[in-house]
Amino acid sequence: MWSFYTFILLIFGFVSVLDAKSSSGNSVLVILDPARQPDYSIFFNGLKEKGYDLTFRAPKDEAPVLIEDDIPSFAHVILFAPDSKHFGKDVTPQALVQLLSSQTNLLIALGQKQNLVTSLAPEFSLILPPPGSSLVSYFPERKEPPTVVPIDVPSSSKILSSSSSPVWFSGVPFALGNNPLVFPILSAPAEGFAADSEGSTADALFDAADKGGEGLWAGSQLAVAAGFQALGGARATWVGGVELFSDEFAKKEISKGVKSGNQQAAADLAAWTFQESLVLRIDSTTHHLVGTSVPKEHYTTNDVVEYVAQISRFNPSKDKWEPYSGLDDLQLEFTMLDPHIRTALPPVPGSPGKYAVTFRVPDRHGVFKFVVDYKRKGWTHLQSSTTVPVVPPRHDGYPRFLSAAWPYYAGAISTSLGFFLFSAIYLAGDPREGNLRGLRAKSTKAQ
Amino acid sequence: MSTAYPLPTNLSTTTVTNTASLLRIVALGLISAAAIASRLFAVINFESIIHEFDPWFNYRATRVLASQGFYEFWNWFDPTAWYPLGRVVGGTVYPGLMATSGVIYNFLHAFHLPVDIRNICVLLAPGFSALTAWATYMFTKEMKDESAGLLAAAFIGIVPGYISRSVAGSYDNEAIAIFLLMFTFYCWIKALKTGSALFGTLAAVFYFYMVAAWGGYAFITNMIPVHALTLMLMGRFSSRLYVAYCSWYAIGTLSSMQVPFVGFQPVRTSEHMGALGVFGLLQIVAFAQLARSHLSSKQFQNLLTVSVVAMGVVGTFGFIALTYMGWIAPWTGRFYSLWDTGYAKKYIPIIASVSEHQPTAWPSFFMDLQLLIFLFPAGVILCFRELRDEHVFVIIYSVVASYFAGVMVRLMLTLTPVVCVSSAVAFSSLIDTYLDPTQPEGEEESEADSSNGTNTAATPSKKEKAKKPAASTSALNDIVTAATSQSSSKSKSKGIWGLDTRLIVIVNAIGMLSFFVFHCTWVTANAYSSPSVVLASTNPDGSQHIIDDFREAYYWLRQNTPQDAVVMSWWDYGYQIAGMADRPTLVDNNTWNNSKSHIATVGKAMSSSEEVAYPILRKHDVDYVLVIFGGLLGYSGDDINKFLWMVRIAQGVWPDEIQEPNYFTPQGEYRVDDRASSAMKNSLMYKMSYYRFAELFGGNNAMDRVRQQTMPKVGPTLDYLDEAFTSENWIVRIYQVRKEDLLGRDLKSANAFAQGKKKKKSKPVSRRKAIPV
């Protein structure tokens, strides 16, 4: 019986090893002091079980390099060296940004000391408190020191499993700039603030805010974990303290008998960072006249056009892209300099992953673009732009006869008829008639 | 009768006539050959290439026409021009030129002559110049006689004023328009002289062709009515005038409205109202003539006074009312700039920025017309001597065209034909007088001088001379005196005495003609045969050095950028980029477009700082920016020299953001060196032109050879653009617009970060105030 369970577990383990992986690759480089590697065994083992391929490198090592011949060597990089002063010479802030631009995801932990990581953070619109600060909170009352803070997982979080219990955190909180690409994953508690030492109080904080002009480092506007969705598609996650991932915090109980949510939160953070969760893509877009199915090279003004987009979402448990109809706020723009039409692009009921809208092309010729630009915090950005010229009607595409033009038609017809009648009478008329004498004289003259 | 030199007497009149007409045909043939040949300098010195700017569009359009047929051309919407507005080419183009080439192309291909469309386009202008010579011959023949016609044909064949627009490769509307202009005028004169509805209709047909070919058709639209009106005012109304004008106007106007680009303009715009008014006036006058023949003179006088006043009042008020109600479009800016040369600079800088819209400099009259400019007034005065209806036409034409040629350089082209015609009239009168062998009474016999015709150089004047003695060798009553009948019959007591007098004048005249030929050849070869796409310079050893930067850069774009990469440049280069690089452009030479704000947008982007320009570039999907920089080579037609126009045009739309004085130094100088104003130094155009320019001089002082100014040692830096390509002589520089930063930073700080600079520490945006407890 026991062996049967083991067998089942093994099977499950196997399946998960085979299937559960990221949408962008499995190789992970972990930059971490080897001495501290065992401290995070639960987190790393979890990753390994999911099928990731971990490579460890001490901060000061030179190999394996991050980028070789301009091609990143790994799909994901974990930087758990908040206290290292020196790094291998290929690990620079510029190199890390270059990694992001070549679709490598970053999971970065901040520390209290000034180093490479703290100088990189401002580029991501993270605003760090003065060096040496850490998050301090005296609530709720507990036996742990005030710098070890339990933080509730927000129930609305898409990234973290909302059902998990509070997460232990110890480290640096940071404020977020107004960059729309960065968003908090885990906010600091409302009672928390950043302070130099354990003993400092709120009064000291106010004094500092007043005197040094450092600003107010307090409250839930501060974040302890933030996600950054780079424009190229890569993701970066910043965590204020590396202890969040540690075995110690994972095993530490929140209250009697309630396990902390750290293990789950760490796994969720990694899953989002490594593009397992909330990953979308546009498989295809097409456009055609209503009633036909072939896209036209150009449309005529006032044509009625249907635009169709096919959208998939990555399913990490099956390692498969699946059609996804869950987006209800997708929009389509028909743009020339400015959007001439902006309309909802709703999912088509009955066909999974298909979003379609029908609209009338504006009465304006020019080079238009079908633009889908879907940027939501946490989700992959969806961007698609299809250029199509809108042309005026062809020379024979206008209405041929206009009822408004009847006066002109009547004029032309009556003139033609009159000319015809005149010619006929003039030519065939009898010159012997007395009252046509003048005419006769003329016609004889003409002869 | 005594003659100055012996004449053969045994020739029959028929022989003389036949020989004369044969010689005329030969002469015309040779004139055509000379006209075509002198236009081939460009092909021989460079290659068979389309010139300048506008011809590149015409060429591109012709290719579409030749490959896809007329209907596709008519419906052609060009999505690559004026990106993203696009251009409805069929409705915004005078299709006559392209249609002509297309017909020639299809004609040749129907005979299985696989001529490349490019060669047809390149050689179309020289071919039509031969036709122009013929049309001018026909026109002048109506003015005086065949010999004047031949002279005029020879003049127009080689005169630089016309060659400037019709060398091989100059594939522009003017290439065929001058032929059409002259032929329409010929038909009009013929119709007027004979009162023939057929010639009136022919004039209308060629007028239609002209309308389809060139925007300058408005010249005909107003010349003929002015002529008709003048004739009426001179009391020369006749049924011939009535028939000629009415048939021309009715058919011409209706057919001109078939051109999509013209549409309803002939009945809606002020430029065409003159023709309509004269048409109406003719009807009234004709009716008045009819009434006069049926009424007593007293009644007629009353009727005339009343009706003239009533018509005048009604007509004027009607015109004003219609203009105010918007039925008749007011005069366009280009029209105003014809009367007030400062108008364009004040109100429409785009028009003023075109160099060919500038007033003509005096030397260019001599340059373009040489000898003819002196003969021209003489010819006009000779027209006054006879003052038949057609002479009135030439007089009006000379006055009007002289004025316009003084106002706008490009209108020199319309002046040239009438200069040729009236000079030919003057010159042939001179020759007639001095070659006329009739001696005044009592003149002794002088020795024969048959060498007159053979001692001249191989020039058109030779052909003229060769014909002249032949014509005058006999039967002078028939030919010579036919033209100068009055003078020869009266020259019994007054006249030219002796051969020596004759010789002095004739030899002088021939000398002038030969100098004219040399001048024309020299000007054609040196001034008007440069394609301007390819530049030529001379090496120290005298050999030619070709500077091919433009094509180098355009082919780089063609080969190295995606098909849909949008290129921004100043509008001068739009057609060339479209034609040679085949890439979408933001603005091009089609500046009549209603999207003037689009040009202003480009002007603003060029004259703003990088931070301001970048959103504009991104909004218009610009991938590459192209600038022309002549500072290294001393090419003065570069963008920095045109820069003030960009500023002015942008200022017209955004007076708050762009101000011209900011681009000058406080002393009011236009400088690019250390003392340049900060707006100048920060402008995108300045930065793109001088980016890394100083490095080229390796620490020495960088020298801008166009402005003759020493550039600062440290050149400008670029954060939002990357240098993509710089041509061999740095004339064309292409920059790639960077994409938005990956991390959402502005590119300036992203660039600073990439270069390892530390970012300034920022503070959290505090949404709550700290309230001490």
Side-chain angles (χ1 to χ4, degrees):
Chain A
M1 199 61 189
W2 184 85
S3 63
F4 177 67
Y5 276 124
T6 324
F7 179 65
I8 294 287
L9 277 175
L10 264 176
I11 291 282
F12 261 107
F14 233 94
V15 166
S16 61
V17 163
L18 281 179
D19 284 352
K21 48 188 170 180
S22 145
S23 64
S24 63
N26 298 322
S27 56
V28 182
L29 177 71
V30 184
I31 300 180
L32 175 66
D33 191 350
R36 304 200 52 193
Q37 198 174 322
D39 295 353
Y40 308 101
S41 59
I42 293 180
F43 175 60
F44 290 138
N45 286 338
L47 289 181
K48 278 181 194 155
E49 272 172 33
K50 277 202 209 164
Y52 286 104
D53 199 358
L54 302 189
T55 312
F56 289 91
R57 169 183 166 181
K60 284 173 192 164
D61 284 357
E62 294 292 339
V65 291
L66 292 176
I67 300 170
E68 199 165 13
D69 301 333
D70 275 353
I71 293 171
S73 317
F74 300 92
H76 319 282
V77 172
I78 297 175
L79 193 57
F80 276 1
D83 299 330
S84 306
K85 202 78 186 138
H86 302 286
F87 287 89
K89 71 172 184 294
D90 67 313
V91 183
T92 60
Q94 285 77 16
L96 291 174
V97 172
Q98 196 192 337
L99 280 180
L100 272 186
S101 69
S102 43
Q103 306 300 317
T104 304
N105 306 306
L106 301 178
L107 177 58
I108 301 174
L110 281 161
Q112 276 154 341
K113 288 184 184 159
Q114 286 277 56
N115 68 353
L116 175 150
V117 178
T118 51
S119 70
L120 179 63
E123 303 299 327
F124 290 77
S125 281
L126 304 186
I127 306 165
L128 301 185
S133 308
S134 58
L135 181 67
V136 177
S137 175
Y138 295 98
F139 302 91
E141 197 166 4
R142 58 192 183 274
K143 63 178 188 296
E144 286 82 10
T147 51
V148 178
V149 186
I151 299 175
D152 287 324
V153 174
S155 59
S156 62
S157 175
K158 287 182 289 230
I159 295 165
L160 303 176
S161 316
S162 49
S163 57
S164 74
S165 44
V167 175
W168 286 110
F169 176 81
S170 165
V172 190
F174 44 80
L176 303 179
N178 51 8
N179 189 334
L181 302 176
V182 69
F183 59 96
I185 296 176
L186 202 58
S187 297
E191 307 86 3
F193 55 92
D196 285 359
S197 59
E198 281 183 29
S200 73
T201 60
D203 292 340
L205 188 75
F206 289 137
D207 292 345
D210 280 350
K211 260 186 284 174
E214 285 287 356
L216 184 63
W217 297 98
S220 60
Q221 289 301 321
L222 299 181
V224 299
F228 193 96
Q229 176 79 57
L231 283 182
R235 289 169 172 178
T237 302
W238 290 79
V239 180
V242 72
E243 282 78 16
L244 191 146
F245 299 93
S246 65
D247 295 355
E248 185 200 340
F249 277 18
K251 290 176 190 152
K252 194 181 177 81
E253 289 182 335
I254 285 285
S255 55
K256 202 82 182 130
V258 181
K259 221 182 136 209
S260 77
N262 279 45
Q263 187 183 349
Q264 183 61 42
D268 287 342
L269 281 175
W272 183 82
T273 312
F274 298 166
Q275 302 205 21
E276 285 178 35
S277 60
L278 305 180
V279 181
L280 297 172
R281 75 170 182 205
I282 296 183
D283 295 325
S284 65
T285 63
T286 174
H287 50 87
H288 52 80
L289 276 181
V290 165
T292 62
S293 57
V294 196
K296 280 184 78 174
E297 248 174 54
H298 52 72
Y299 293 98
T300 309
T301 51
N302 296 322
D303 274 354
V304 180
V305 172
E306 183 171 33
Y307 180 85
V308 180
Q310 193 73 35
I311 290 173
S312 294
R313 180 182 183 174
F314 185 70
N315 184 344
S317 58
K318 291 185 187 159
D319 187 18
K320 239 170 78 178
W321 289 93
E322 289 172 347
Y324 182 63
S325 290
L327 304 177
D328 52 0
D329 51 355
L330 200 61
Q331 286 188 333
L332 172 73
E333 287 175 4
F334 198 53
T335 303
M336 183 184 71
L337 291 181
D338 303 306
H340 282 58
I341 284 172
R342 182 184 285 141
T343 176
L345 187 58
V348 178
S351 31
K354 186 176 168 185
Y355 296 75
V357 68
T358 303
F359 64 94
R360 191 173 64 87
V361 170
D363 190 9
R364 173 92 168 84
H365 59 77
V367 182
F368 280 82
K369 288 187 291 188
F370 293 103
V371 175
V372 173
D373 189 2
Y374 184 78
K375 287 177 180 152
R376 296 292 182 275
K377 286 181 175 163
W379 293 94
T380 322
H381 297 163
L382 289 180
Q383 275 174 313
S384 159
S385 169
T386 316
T387 305
V388 57
V390 172
V391 305
R394 287 177 64 88
H395 68 280
D396 52 0
Y398 294 95
R400 198 74 188 92
F401 287 98
L402 306 171
S403 56
W406 262 110
Y408 302 97
Y409 300 147
I413 292 168
S414 63
T415 309
S416 311
L417 271 180
F419 179 74
F420 177 77
L421 284 177
F422 174 78
S423 312
I425 293 167
Y426 186 83
L427 293 174
D430 190 354
R432 281 172 303 174
E433 291 289 332
N435 53 1
L436 286 175
R437 194 177 295 155
L439 204 84
R440 188 199 312 162
K442 240 185 197 168
S443 59
T444 44
K445 210 188 277 173
Q447 283 161 6
Chain B
M1 185 164 57
S2 61
T3 56
Y5 42 90
L7 299 168
T9 47
N10 54 350
L11 292 173
S12 73
T13 320
T14 347
T15 319
V16 170
T17 326
N18 288 348
T19 318
S21 69
L22 175 67
L23 282 173
R24 271 201 295 276
I25 291 168
V26 171
L28 264 180
L30 288 174
I31 287 169
S32 304
I36 293 173
S38 69
R39 282 164 173 80
L40 297 183
F41 275 115
V43 173
I44 293 163
N45 284 350
F46 296 95
E47 58 187 283
S48 176
I49 184 184
I50 303 291
H51 288 193
E52 293 194 310
F53 306 107
D54 287 17
W56 276 100
F57 170 75
N58 298 331
Y59 169 54
R60 188 159 149 258
T62 310
R63 271 200 322 218
V64 171
L65 177 68
S67 62
Q68 295 178 27
F70 187 75
Y71 281 110
E72 286 310 307
F73 171 70
W74 193 357
N75 290 303
W76 182 29
F77 179 83
D78 185 3
T80 66
W82 293 89
Y83 184 90
L85 305 174
R87 176 178 178 189
V88 187
V89 177
T92 60
V93 81
Y94 291 104
L97 183 73
M98 299 94 187
T100 308
S101 304
V103 166
I104 295 173
Y105 177 81
N106 288 327
F107 179 78
L108 292 177
H109 279 244
F111 287 98
H112 299 286
L113 293 169
V115 181
D116 184 18
I117 187 74
R118 177 172 56 89
N119 287 322
I120 292 174
C121 294
V122 166
L123 296 176
L124 189 77
F128 265 83
S129 73
L131 288 175
T132 311
W134 173 70
T136 312
Y137 165 77
M138 301 295 277
F139 182 80
T140 318
K141 202 176 77 175
E142 298 301 319
M143 295 299 141
K144 189 167 175 287
D145 53 13
E146 284 89 349
S147 46
L150 281 176
L151 260 181
F155 286 156
I156 194 102
I158 59 169
V159 70
Y162 175 41
I163 285 191
S164 65
R165 293 318 200 91
S166 63
V167 291
S170 177
Y171 180 57
D172 213 342
N173 293 335
E174 290 91 333
I176 64 171
I178 295 302
F179 160 66
L180 297 171
L181 182 82
M182 285 319 283
F183 203 78
T184 312
F185 284 159
Y186 162 69
C187 291
W188 160 248
I189 293 297
K190 193 83 183 164
L192 182 65
K193 275 175 117 176
T194 58
S196 143
L198 173 68
F199 271 99
T201 311
L202 257 174
V205 169
F206 276 88
Y207 172 69
F208 164 65
Y209 193 177
M210 176 78 176
V211 173
W214 193 35
Y217 74 88
F219 186 65
I220 302 185
T221 319
N222 288 298
M223 260 312 294
I224 292 181
V226 167
H227 184 213
L229 183 67
T230 314
L231 288 180
M232 277 191 280
L233 291 179
M234 290 168 77
R236 294 193 179 192
F237 175 81
S238 62
S239 53
R240 289 178 289 115
L241 176 65
Y242 183 82
V243 169
Y245 190 84
C246 291
S247 50
W248 167 75
Y249 182 74
I251 298 174
T253 305
L254 280 179
S255 54
S256 71
M257 287 165 75
Q258 308 308 312
V259 179
F261 190 22
V262 177
F264 278 93
Q265 277 181 41
V267 290
R268 295 290 293 274
T269 61
S270 300
E271 282 92 333
H272 299 79
M273 281 304 123
L276 181 62
V278 170
F279 181 67
L281 194 64
L282 261 180
Q283 312 306 319
I284 297 167
V285 173
F287 179 74
Q289 295 278 10
L290 184 73
R292 178 152 63 179
S293 64
H294 287 75
L295 294 173
S296 72
S297 71
K298 178 78 178 95
Q299 284 171 314
F300 180 72
Q301 287 290 340
N302 292 338
L303 184 69
L304 190 69
T305 327
V306 170
S307 56
V308 161
V309 169
M311 295 287 178
V313 168
V314 167
T316 316
F317 275 96
F319 181 72
I320 293 170
L322 285 174
T323 309
Y324 267 98
M325 285 160 63
W327 284 93
I328 300 174
W331 310 101
T332 58
R334 256 169 229 218
F335 181 80
Y336 282 125
S337 62
L338 282 180
W339 308 110
D340 175 9
T341 46
Y343 178 88
K345 197 170 175 182
K346 264 181 277 173
Y347 299 107
I348 19 179
I350 291 174
I351 291 181
S353 73
V354 183
S355 62
E356 61 185 19
H357 289 165
Q358 307 294 336
T360 318
W362 280 109
S364 71
F365 278 98
F366 183 76
M367 166 104 162
D368 279 356
L369 302 167
Q370 216 238 2
L371 154 76
L372 305 184
I373 200 70
F374 307 118
L375 289 174
F376 171 47
V380 176
I381 287 169
L382 282 177
C383 286
F384 270 106
R385 264 177 48 181
E386 284 191 59
L387 210 60
R388 293 199 303 270
D389 290 353
E390 61 265 31
H391 294 121
V392 175
F393 183 80
V394 172
I395 292 163
I396 298 169
Y397 186 177
S398 342
V399 172
V400 173
S402 304
Y403 175 76
F404 286 149
V407 171
M408 251 191 215
V409 175
R410 73 187 300 197
L411 293 181
M412 186 67 111
L413 192 64
T414 51
L415 174 67
T416 305
V418 74
V419 168
C420 290
V421 168
S422 66
S423 305
V425 168
F427 205 89
S428 104
S429 303
L430 179 91
I431 292 177
D432 282 347
T433 315
Y434 282 87
L435 279 186
D436 178 8
T438 320
Q439 286 284 73
E441 280 173 0
E443 175 59 25
E444 72 273 19
E445 181 204 0
S446 44
E447 66 209 79
D449 182 32
S450 56
S451 64
N452 241 359
T454 50
N455 62 0
T456 50
T459 62
S461 62
K462 176 191 169 185
K463 291 151 219 153
E464 166 58 23
K465 290 258 88 65
K467 189 224 109 198
K468 205 66 212 170
S472 54
T473 41
S474 89
L476 40 118
N477 294 335
D478 282 353
I479 298 158
V480 178
T481 53
T484 56
S485 52
Q486 290 169 315
S487 58
S488 61
S489 59
K490 283 180 192 162
S491 67
K492 293 292 176 194
S493 55
K494 272 200 294 184
I496 316 298
W497 289 80
L499 199 59
D500 45 354
T501 327
R502 288 187 164 87
L503 266 182
I504 290 169
V505 175
I506 293 294
V507 168
N508 246 321
I510 291 166
M512 279 158 70
L513 284 184
S514 358
F515 278 121
F516 175 64
V517 170
F518 281 118
H519 173 82
C520 291
T521 316
W522 181 83
V523 170
T524 308
N526 289 290
Y528 291 140
S529 291
S530 165
S532 90
V533 177
V534 184
L535 308 170
S537 71
T538 320
N539 288 330
D541 62 354
S543 60
Q544 198 184 38
H545 176 65
I546 296 286
I547 297 164
D548 210 356
D549 281 38
F550 287 100
R551 286 196 293 178
E552 183 193 351
Y554 294 142
Y555 283 114
W556 182 88
L557 275 177
R558 197 186 187 104
Q559 303 289 335
N560 294 285
T561 61
Q563 180 85 40
D564 54 355
V566 178
V567 181
M568 182 177 98
S569 69
W570 190 233
W571 60 262
D572 297 25
Y573 312 102
Y575 279 164
Q576 290 186 348
I577 293 170
M580 285 190 256
D582 192 23
R583 292 291 173 270
T585 55
L586 239 56
V587 291
D588 62 31
N589 310 45
N590 182 28
T591 48
W592 70 270
N593 217 308
N594 53 4
S595 40
K596 290 208 177 83
S597 62
H598 217 55
I599 292 187
T601 307
V602 175
K604 184 185 176 192
M606 292 290 196
S607 44
S608 307
S609 63
E610 276 187 276
E611 292 81 10
V612 179
Y614 186 71
I616 301 175
L617 301 184
R618 294 300 296 165
K619 186 179 177 188
H620 291 80
D621 300 329
V622 175
D623 296 301
Y624 291 90
V625 185
L626 180 146
V627 291
I628 305 295
F629 173 64
L632 182 65
L633 204 68
Y635 173 67
S636 61
D638 68 351
D639 278 347
I640 289 283
N641 276 2
K642 293 172 183 169
F643 186 43
L644 282 180
W645 287 113
M646 305 181 201
V647 173
R648 278 174 205 148
I649 290 168
Q651 186 180 5
V653 180
W654 292 279
D656 298 337
E657 295 173 61
I658 310 280
Q659 276 114 24
E660 191 181 342
N662 295 346
Y663 294 84
F664 290 101
T665 59
Q667 289 78 37
E669 289 171 285
Y670 183 64
R671 297 199 75 90
V672 293
D673 55 5
D674 283 332
R675 294 195 282 145
S677 67
S678 70
M680 181 79 191
K681 278 187 168 169
N682 286 324
S683 67
L684 196 65
M685 173 55 74
Y686 180 90
K687 285 187 164 186
M688 286 193 295
S689 291
Y690 294 107
Y691 182 64
R692 299 185 64 200
F693 181 60
E695 291 173 31
L696 197 63
F697 292 80
N700 295 325
N701 277 333
M703 181 75 175
D704 183 320
R705 293 205 183 119
V706 175
R707 265 75 48 182
Q708 295 300 331
Q709 291 172 17
T710 310
M711 301 306 300
K713 282 239 168 67
V714 181
T717 54
L718 283 169
D719 286 319
Y720 292 81
L721 301 168
D722 285 323
E723 184 180 5
F725 178 81
T726 296
S727 65
E728 187 188 347
N729 299 297
W730 283 53
I731 289 184
V732 186
R733 309 197 68 184
I734 300 171
Y735 290 86
Q736 185 168 23
V737 180
R738 302 176 93 182
K739 296 276 174 284
E740 269 95 0
D741 179 57
L742 191 71
L743 304 180
R745 302 165 292 183
D746 64 299
L747 284 168
K748 194 168 186 169
S749 47
N751 222 20
F753 168 73
Q755 286 161 1
K757 288 178 194 149
K758 274 264 168 70
K759 192 171 182 168
K760 233 175 91 185
K761 200 165 154 36
S762 52
K763 294 166 200 163
V765 195
S766 175
R767 285 170 210 165
R768 294 184 302 193
K769 275 273 164 75
I771 306 163
V773 193

